[in-house]
């Protein structure tokens, strides 16, 4: 007959004492018997360390993106060129709206976002009398990739009769490095 009081035992990996086979922690040396147990403080510590490492790396990427080096648009102003543009007008009630549509290219190796395009309308003497500018507040402007091109459209209400808007020039006023978060 088998002895019911007899329990299975094993040897602790750390202190070599005999312990019950079902023991999770050695009663002699307090070492955990399973290598990877969710209740083992070493496993929890390892997972927390991995979590905090990921958080720190993520914060490093975020701060580099926000505060890291960005290219200044003034250096590359001449590399973004308006290739072509055309002006059109449309009546809306008692108002006339002037629209300028065109293409621009980026000859630099930097990607630019929120590219601000301005159309200046000139009188017969070549002096500007009106302008349409992309609204910077709340507007996400044109994005242009390195050595690439993009199209744009700007529109505004005419302050003069439509015939005065035939002579114009279009320029790029500002742009932000794509790597800039804000």
């Amino acid at each position: 007959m088998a002895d019911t009081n007899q329990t299975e035992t094993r040897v602790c990996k750390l202190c070599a004492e005999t312990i019950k086979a079902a023991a999770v922690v050695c009663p002699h040396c307090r070492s955990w018997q399973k290598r990877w147990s969710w209740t083992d403080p070493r496993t929890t510590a390892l997972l927390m360390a991995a979590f905090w490492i990921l958080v720190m790396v993520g914060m490093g990427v975020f701060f580099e993106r926000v505060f890291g080096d960005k290219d200044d648009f003034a250096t590359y102003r001449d590399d973004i060129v308006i290739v072509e543009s055309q002006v059109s007008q449309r009546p809306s009630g008692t108002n006339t709206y002037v629209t300028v549509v065109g293409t621009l290219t980026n000859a630099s190796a930097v990607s630019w976002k929120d590219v601000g395009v301005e159309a200046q309308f000139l009188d017969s003497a070549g002096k500007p009398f009106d302008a349409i500018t992309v609204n910077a507040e709340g507007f996400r402007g044109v994005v242009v990739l390195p050595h690439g091109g993009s199209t744009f459209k700007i529109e505004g209400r005419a302050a003069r009769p439509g015939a005065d808007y035939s002579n114009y020039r279009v320029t790029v006023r500002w742009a932000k490095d794509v790597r800039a978060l804000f």
Side-chain angles (χ1 to χ4, degrees), residues 18-173:
T18 302
I19 60 173
K20 292 181 181 179
V24 177
V25 177
C26 175
H28 305 288
C29 67
R30 306 300 300 157
S31 71
W32 286 78
Q33 297 302 300
K34 291 184 179 178
R35 186 171 195 90
W36 297 105
S37 171
W38 290 109
T39 56
D40 185 348
R42 293 177 300 179
T43 303
T44 305
L46 182 65
L47 290 173
M48 289 302 291
F51 170 77
W52 284 112
I53 288 171
L54 289 174
V55 167
M56 298 307 281
V57 168
M59 287 177 59
V61 169
F62 173 77
F63 282 112
E64 172 62 27
R65 181 112 169 140
V66 173
F67 301 111
D69 291 336
K70 312 295 181 288
D71 286 311
D72 184 25
F73 174 68
T75 307
Y76 299 93
R77 179 178 300 277
D78 295 333
D79 291 337
I80 300 179
V81 179
I82 306 294
V83 178
E84 63 177 318
S85 65
Q86 59 187 17
V87 66
S88 64
Q89 301 169 14
R90 69 174 174 84
S92 177
T94 59
N95 296 318
T96 300
Y97 284 88
V98 178
T99 304
V100 178
V101 179
T103 305
L104 56 91
T105 59
N106 177 11
S108 74
V110 179
S111 292
W112 299 101
K113 68 178 180 178
D114 302 339
V115 178
V117 179
E118 178 182 75
Q120 295 179 350
F121 298 95
L122 312 171
D123 61 14
S124 58
K127 298 198 185 256
F129 67 85
D130 198 359
I132 302 171
T133 305
V134 173
N135 182 7
E137 294 180 24
F139 178 79
R140 294 289 180 213
V142 175
V143 174
V144 61
L145 299 175
H147 308 290
S150 186
T151 57
F152 65 89
K153 174 183 175 183
I154 53 177
E155 184 175 58
R157 195 173 83 187
R160 289 189 173 186
D164 291 350
Y165 287 85
S166 60
N167 189 15
Y168 68 98
R169 70 174 165 234
V170 182
T171 56
V172 176
R173 290 291 181 204

